[in-house]
Each structure stands twice: as C-alpha cells, then as structure tokens.
Amino acid sequence: MLAWLFLLPALAFYSFVVIGPTAQSVWFSLFRWNGVGPATWVGFGNYADFATDPLIGEALAHTGVMVVFFSVLPITLGLISAALLSRTRSRSTGVFRSIIFLPQVLTSVVIVVIWRQLFSLDGAVNSALRAVGLGDLAQPWLGSFTLTLPVLALAGTWTTMGLCMLLFVSGAGNIPTELYEAARIDGAGAVREFFSVTLPGLVPQLAVALTLTLIGALRVFDLVWLTTRGGPGTSSITPAVLLYSKAFTQQDVGGAAAIGVTLAVLSLLVSIVVVRITDRAAS
Amino acid sequence: MISRRERVLNLAVLVFMSLVVLVPVSLLVLASLSPTPNGRPAFGDLRWDNFVVAWQQSDFGSHLLVSLTVSLAVVGITLVITPLAAYGLAVLKAPGHKWVFLVFLAGIMIPLEGIIVPLYFTMRATPFSSTVVALIIAHSGLSVSFGVFWMRAAFRSVPGGILESAMIDGAGPLRILRSIMLPLSAPALITLGLLTFMWTWNDYFLAFVLVNNPDQLPVTVALGSFSNKYTTQYNLMSAAAILVALPIVVLYVVFQRRFIEGVLAGAVKG
C-alpha cells in the first residue's frame, strides 16, 4: 500500500486537470447551458444539433483539407526523402537534421507571424510573383474565400514535414542492410526497392506519423484563430475555433462541450484505427 | 558501393528540405531588422533597435517573467511527481499498477479540446482563477501522462540486479529511488525537463482560455494580441516573434540531440 503514496501527487494533479474535466465534458454536453444561469437537460440534443448546424459540416469539411496538408503531404514528402536517402543509408545527421527539425520547436504564434508576412499584400510571396512576371497572381492570400484555408493549412505542412522525414529516415536506418542487398541481387530498382523493402519496414513509423498528424489536423486552432478567426466569412473555420466561439462568445457551453467530446472520440478512433491497420500490415 | 550520383542526390534532398525551412525563417529575421513597417529586407540598414521598441511596446519583460515562472514551475512539479508515480508503478508495483498505468496513458489520447470547457469552469471556481497559478496547475496535470510514460520506460530499463542488491543491502524505497534510480535515469530526466519546458513555453491555447488578466499572460498570448494590435507593422511584429522564440531556439541549439530524440521517441508513445 506504501507504493500508492508515490502515485498520489501525480494522481491528484491528473484527476483535477484531466480525469475530472473529461467526465464533466460528457456531462456538460448533455445540457443546454449559458455558463451562468440554470442548465436544461437536453440529452443528446446538442449532438443532434450537429446535423442541422451548417457550420459544423463546414468545419468538418475544412478538417478534410487540413488532413491533406497536415498529414498526406508531409508523410508523402517524408517518404520520398527517406526513399532517396535510404539507398545510401546516410542518416541526415548533423546540421541538416537540426535545421529540418527546427519548425517543431517553434511555437504556433511565431509560425503565424511568419505566415502572415509571407502571404501579406506586399509580402514575400507576392513580391516573388511580381519579380518573375506573375504579378497578376499576386493577391491578399489571407483575405480570399477560396485560398485562405489551403494557405493556412500549408503552414501545417511546413511544421510537420521535418518530423515525418526524420521519423522515416531514422526508421529506414533500422531496416537490416541484408534486405536491401537481397533486393539488389534480385535486380530490384529504386522504385521496387522502396515498395518491397523500405515501405514495409517503415510501418511502425507510419503509424506514429499518421496518428500525430491526423490528430494535429483535427485540432487546428491557433493557426486559424490568430490569422482569420475562421474568416473571411466562415471560409476557414475549424471545429476547435467553433468550440471556442460557442463556449466563450455565444454562451453555448453544452454545444461547445459536445464538440470537445466529439473531437476526443475522433482522436481516439484515429489512434485505434491506425494501430489496427498497421498491425494488420505488419503481420 | 555508393555512386557519386546518389551522393549528389542525397545532398540535394537535404539542401532542399533545409531551404524550405530556412527561407521563411530568414525572412522573419530580416523583417525584424527592417526599417519599414512592411518588413521588407534592407541589408544596408539593419535596425537592431526594432527589438528594443518591440520589447517596450509589448511590455515583454513582464510577460517573459510570467512565461519563465510558469514553465520553470511546471518543469519542477513534473520532475517531482512523475518520477515518483513511475517508481510506484514500475518498481514498487503498487496494487493495480497495470490498470493505473492505463489510466495515466489514456490522457495522452485525450486532446485538450475534450477537457478545456469544464477545465475553464473548474479553474474559475478556484481562488486562483485567471492567474499563473491556474496555468501552472493545468500544465502540470497535462504533463502527467507523458511524464509517467517516459519515466516508467526509463526505470524499467535499469538492470534488475542493481535493484535486488540494493534491497538486500536493506535500502528503503525512497533511498533506492534517490541514490539508484534517479542518478541512473538522469538522461531521461533531463530530456523530460527540456520537453516539458518547451511544451509549456510554446502553449497558446491553454493560456489563452484560462488567463484573462492582462498582466498574467505568457509571452505567446501577449505576442498574439501584440500582432493583432500592430497588424501593419511587420518589422516590430517579427522582432517580438523572435523574442518569443529565442529562449526555446537557444535551448534547442544547445540540446538538439535530446530534443530530436525525445520528440521522436516520445512520438512513438501514441
């Protein structure tokens, strides 16, 4: 029983901050409550409202775009680099590794400042376009109904790309050299070598990269809130931005909690599904 | 074995990926030194005093103090409570330790969005509502899952023979933790401290929701409102952004191996 004394401090913090509020989130989501007055029991009403609230659908559709930029693109780029580097088995050591990983240690607010500037009216992107004679394409990127979302999402690609690449390159470094030698003796070219040796050897790293980036895409808040607050209009709104505005500006605490619970369930599902699929692929 | 062509290709990939990272970062640095509000690079006229102006206008000093207080306090608390818990689970094998570990681990999969709304109301009902104390408690609670996971793995890699002989010598559990487990796990402790510091320092969302008091805001949230106030002054905004990023970037340059290995190994937690 003495051993439990060692667990107590961590359990106290953890219960107060994580376990308690998790349970409360579920409970809150079953009420209509403005945060101050009395709460009304609505059962699954807040979840049922998702079906009729066009903003929820729009936010989820935007999450789909985020998935492409946060997950699909970085993983593809990471795999390509790992494939190109694994043939020579040189790890991207030293200064390259440190540079490529750098965006991972920058806080979102700083990335936002970088992005705002790159894509501002007389920012670097527009200047570059004008310099090469494509001035007609220069535009206020973060004021466009169609381009704001992908331009913001591209910041996600920039942030996670290095992490994916280093994960895959270090994973490929652990693939036994004999497998590559065997493939070469069989006459495999670079492409076949990648699909028959590198890719299967990277399944565990793929699982990690997928889980991390998909959950990242699901949770986008800072990037959007600090640039457009979901605008122009609602063209860049995300579930987390919607959660924030429901809870703290529209006084719809129940609806906000329902979004929070849904995001938590989706994150859990992502983890479970990814583990299932990669387990099957590995066996 | 390795052909010259492959070596060149190799270098090309690394250089390309590095440039993709470096170009936007260099533009930020150049903008921070620019004499014009639009942040256009001007190599002949580097305005270092942009940093002074940004520091003063954003009241950076007081926010820096908040960020330092919160981050150091959270690192301190995490480095005490999570090794204790990990020791109770991995070495002392507290009754039900497997089950408790799963409860801790579940926290890694619960996104902040899933708890933020009730957490806000819980904190609001406490006497330290909207202060650094609320922020310290929240961050410490959120760091438990990863910390316990990380330290448990470190303790489990300590050879069982060392433990047994210490127990035969009659060393008590606290003594074993202090003079055997912790010294042997020092690298893991340092990495955990660095990662916790970075995650706490870099947080925006939690502080944004929990703290309204303008003089209790950490640098990230302060930069957020600063950059919204000075939307047209990219040079000052960039200088402020660099001030916010600098402490972590310096730590990163000094401890890059630990950061990269920690994040890559920690990533596998999912």
Side-chain angles (χ1 to χ4, degrees), chain B residues 10-28:
Chain B
N10 217 321
L11 192 66
V13 172
L14 293 173
V15 169
F16 173 76
M17 295 293 271
S18 303
L19 281 179
V20 170
V21 171
L22 280 184
V23 168
V25 171
S26 323
L27 285 172
L28 178 79

Side-chain angles (χ1 to χ4, degrees), chain A residues 160-185:
Chain A
T160 47
M161 179 185 75
L163 176 75
C164 291
M165 175 176 166
L166 292 188
L167 260 177
F168 297 149
V169 171
S170 82
N174 295 330
I175 298 173
T177 341
E178 298 84 61
L179 290 180
Y180 284 99
E181 280 159 12
R184 275 174 216 186
I185 290 168

Side-chain angles (χ1 to χ4, degrees), chain A residues 4 6-7 14 21-22 25 84-85 87-88 92 96 98 101 105 107 116-117 120 122 158 165 219 221 225 244, chain B residues 2 6 10 17-18 20 31 38 85 95 103-104 107 113-115 118 145 202 205 208 227-228 234 238 252 256:
Chain A
W4 267 84
F6 288 81
L7 301 182
Y14 186 62
T22 304
S25 258
L84 292 172
L85 297 176
R87 256 178 97 78
T88 49
S92 59
F96 288 118
S98 313
F101 193 76
V105 307
T107 172
R116 271 182 160 184
Q117 199 160 295
S120 72
D122 53 356
W158 189 72
M165 175 176 166
R219 300 187 45 192
F221 176 83
W225 186 260
Y244 180 82
Chain B
I2 303 165
E6 278 179 337
N10 217 321
M17 295 293 271
S18 303
V20 170
N38 65 12
V103 173
F104 278 132
E113 285 76 11
I115 61 175
S145 287
N202 281 354
F205 188 56
F208 177 64
S227 65
N228 279 329
Y234 286 109
S238 306
Y252 173 64
Q256 39 188 311

Side-chain angles (χ1 to χ4, degrees), chain A residues 223-231 233-234 236-237 241, chain B residues 204 208 228:
Chain A
L223 190 61
V224 169
W225 186 260
L226 284 162
T227 47
T228 62
R229 307 218 157 181
T234 53
S236 62
I237 200 155
V241 170
Chain B
Y204 176 81
F208 177 64
N228 279 329

Side-chain angles (χ1 to χ4, degrees), chain B residues 205-234:
Chain B
F205 188 56
L206 193 60
F208 177 64
V209 170
L210 291 186
V211 183
N212 298 314
N213 196 337
D215 45 69
Q216 309 255 330
L217 293 174
V219 285
T220 46
V221 183
L223 171 63
S225 48
F226 180 75
S227 65
N228 279 329
K229 215 185 294 171
Y230 296 91
T231 36
T232 53
Q233 292 189 288
Y234 286 109

Side-chain angles (χ1 to χ4, degrees), chain A residues 19-257:
Chain A
I19 302 181
T22 304
Q24 268 181 302
S25 258
V26 178
W27 183 242
F28 277 19
S29 75
L30 305 175
F31 290 86
R32 180 138 297 148
W33 185 39
N34 63 10
V36 275
T40 332
W41 171 265
V42 291
F44 289 100
N46 287 317
Y47 297 93
D49 285 351
F50 288 175
T52 53
D53 186 348
L55 272 182
I56 300 263
E58 200 183 349
L60 284 175
H62 293 165
T63 301
V65 176
M66 294 295 179
V67 166
V68 172
F69 283 90
F70 274 68
S71 213
V72 179
L73 272 176
I75 288 179
T76 312
L77 279 172
L79 282 176
I80 294 174
S81 343
L84 292 172
L85 297 176
S86 69
R87 256 178 97 78
T88 49
R89 303 189 64 81
S90 81
R91 316 245 182 125
S92 59
T93 41
V95 73
F96 288 118
R97 197 167 108 118
S98 313
I99 293 172
I100 292 168
F101 193 76
L102 179 69
Q104 277 295 311
V105 307
L106 295 179
T107 172
S108 55
V109 193
V110 170
I111 293 170
V112 160
V113 171
I114 295 178
W115 233 246
R116 271 182 160 184
Q117 199 160 295
L118 280 179
F119 292 96
S120 72
L121 205 50
D122 53 356
V125 170
N126 282 344
S127 308
L129 284 173
R130 289 191 194 103
V132 297
L134 291 170
D136 288 350
L137 292 176
Q139 54 181 297
W141 299 91
L142 295 179
S144 152
F145 276 86
T146 47
L147 289 172
T148 300
L149 185 68
V151 164
L152 285 180
L154 195 61
T157 312
W158 189 72
T159 323
T160 47
M161 179 185 75
L163 176 75
C164 291
M165 175 176 166
L166 292 188
L167 260 177
F168 297 149
V169 171
S170 82
N174 295 330
I175 298 173
T177 341
E178 298 84 61
L179 290 180
Y180 284 99
E181 280 159 12
R184 275 174 216 186
I185 290 168
D186 285 352
V191 175
R192 234 192 65 209
E193 193 180 289
F194 172 75
F195 282 103
S196 61
V197 181
T198 312
L199 197 57
L202 287 179
V203 165
Q205 284 76 23
L206 264 172
V208 170
L210 266 175
T211 317
L212 279 180
T213 56
L214 285 175
I215 290 176
L218 213 53
R219 300 187 45 192
V220 178
F221 176 83
D222 311 359
L223 190 61
V224 169
W225 186 260
L226 284 162
T227 47
T228 62
R229 307 218 157 181
T234 53
S235 62
S236 62
I237 200 155
T238 65
V241 170
L242 204 55
L243 176 148
Y244 180 82
S245 49
K246 268 193 196 297
F248 302 110
T249 57
Q250 300 166 22
Q251 270 87 44
D252 178 9
V253 177

